[in-house]
Amino acid sequence: MSSDDSGARRPGPAGRQAAMAERVLADGSATAAELAERFGVSLMTVHRDLDELARQGIVRKSRGGVTAQPSGVFESNVQYRLKAMRAEKAAVAEHALRSVEPGMAIMLDDSTTALELARRLRTGAITPLTVVTNFLEAINLLAGQRGIHLMALGGDYDPLHSSFLGVSCVEAVGQLRVDVCFTSTSAVHGGHAYHQEQHIVSVKRAMLDAAARNVLLLDHTKLARVALHRVAPLSRFDLLLIDDGASAQALRDLDEHRVRHEICATTTTKGSDDRT
């Protein structure tokens, strides 16, 4: 069903704006004229909607004011991340499952790759298990699952990421010690992991400090990229898992920095549940 049909079911500016954001996500860009025709509204209305979406940090408008494109903040939006690189994330999560054993306490960050791991834990095949997370999506997914002791990290709720962050979250993480932390990040370059948002970085660093072993989960688009804030050197991670779409040059760069990594074949993910 198309996004404009979805917007018709959600009357009012908020519903239309959400549908516009979904359309931009699906197509990568859209002109104001295209959006006006698709949603049956005037150009003036489209520009007002795009102004509001830009204010929220979900899209950015071009210099001419007629093109909406995903911005760096848009890429942080959980709805964007849930739909991006799904097969690759599923492959990485399937491989990560090998690092989980009954009786462990594990920590999951608010990445959608870690969420794919949570989907696989919900089958109950690896229990008993303690799972600690600040990601509301994972909390909802695992709540009430038999054999899983779920610990939700508190803090300030951030709707853009659907997770709990801030000083309270960092302090809560600091009171714990887990066997393995599974985390992801926005970019990897030159032997370091990066993220575009400082308030996310502080939580990820605390999680790394709270674990006996750290596993970095990545889809190949994160390699050879740089974001604003440095999270940690790749030496902080005991293992880096990446899908098989990584380029030879990107893998050589990991080898040069002596990063232990394993390639995760996407063909192993057939039949996996990747629904959002």
Side-chain angles (χ1 to χ4, degrees):
M1 188 170 290
S2 66
S3 291
D4 48 323
D5 290 336
S6 177
R9 294 196 307 271
R10 294 176 294 183
R16 185 177 60 250
Q17 290 162 12
M20 284 186 183
E22 291 172 6
R23 176 52 52 187
V24 172
L25 169 60
D27 295 344
S29 65
T31 67
E34 289 169 346
L35 293 172
E37 181 179 359
R38 179 173 295 275
F39 292 96
V41 294
S42 68
L43 281 172
M44 184 177 295
T45 297
V46 167
H47 280 292
R48 281 200 299 266
D49 288 341
L50 292 180
D51 285 340
E52 175 59 23
L53 292 174
R55 186 192 66 79
Q56 296 175 29
I58 297 175
V59 302
R60 67 169 180 256
K61 297 178 69 178
S62 69
R63 184 176 300 176
V66 294
T67 303
Q69 296 178 330
S71 65
V73 176
F74 192 100
E75 292 178 2
S76 298
N77 187 293
V78 68
Q79 295 307 317
Y80 175 93
R81 294 185 288 121
L82 283 168
K83 296 177 182 179
M85 308 301 292
R86 292 165 72 176
E88 290 80 1
K89 292 173 181 177
V92 171
E94 193 73 31
H95 198 100
L97 202 61
R98 303 175 190 177
S99 298
V100 183
E101 299 176 2
M104 277 186 168
I106 69 170
M107 187 173 289
L108 306 179
D109 73 352
D110 61 354
S111 66
T112 51
T113 311
L115 182 63
E116 285 297 330
L117 177 57
R119 293 188 195 282
R120 284 149 181 79
L121 297 176
R122 135 180 106 165
T123 65
I126 306 175
T127 56
L129 194 67
T130 296
V131 179
V132 183
T133 186
N134 67 326
F135 197 12
L136 183 58
E137 303 288 329
I139 294 169
N140 290 335
L141 189 70
L142 297 175
Q145 294 298 311
R146 179 172 297 188
I148 293 181
H149 175 212
L150 180 63
M151 297 181 65
L153 296 167
D156 299 315
Y157 179 66
D158 185 327
L160 182 67
H161 300 86
S162 190
S163 61
F164 297 90
L165 303 168
V167 174
S168 297
C169 183
V170 171
E171 291 179 347
V173 174
Q175 300 301 311
L176 302 173
R177 184 68 175 173
V178 299
D179 296 298
V180 187
C181 174
F182 295 95
T183 186
S184 188
T185 191
S186 303
V188 166
H189 180 78
H192 286 83
Y194 294 83
H195 200 279
Q196 67 266 27
E197 294 160 283
Q198 180 61 46
H199 65 303
I200 300 291
V201 169
S202 60
V203 174
K204 288 183 185 292
R205 286 176 178 168
M207 288 181 166
L208 296 180
D209 291 339
R213 187 166 179 263
N214 290 299
V215 179
L216 182 60
L217 311 176
L218 296 176
D219 70 73
H220 68 273
T221 64
K222 308 292 180 60
L223 295 181
R225 294 179 57 184
V226 176
L228 184 59
H229 300 284
R230 182 180 291 181
V231 178
L234 294 181
S235 58
R236 287 293 311 276
F237 300 93
D238 299 275
L239 178 64
L240 186 157
L241 299 181
I242 189 163
D243 70 90
D244 55 10
S247 69
Q249 179 57 51
L251 295 177
R252 281 196 296 271
D253 187 63
L254 293 177
D255 289 334
E256 289 175 3
H257 288 90
R258 299 182 180 179
V259 178
R260 185 188 168 208
H261 60 276
E262 295 178 4
I263 307 301
C264 312
T266 56
T267 55
T268 64
T269 63
K270 289 182 179 179
S272 65
D273 180 6
D274 63 356
R275 292 170 294 179
T276 60

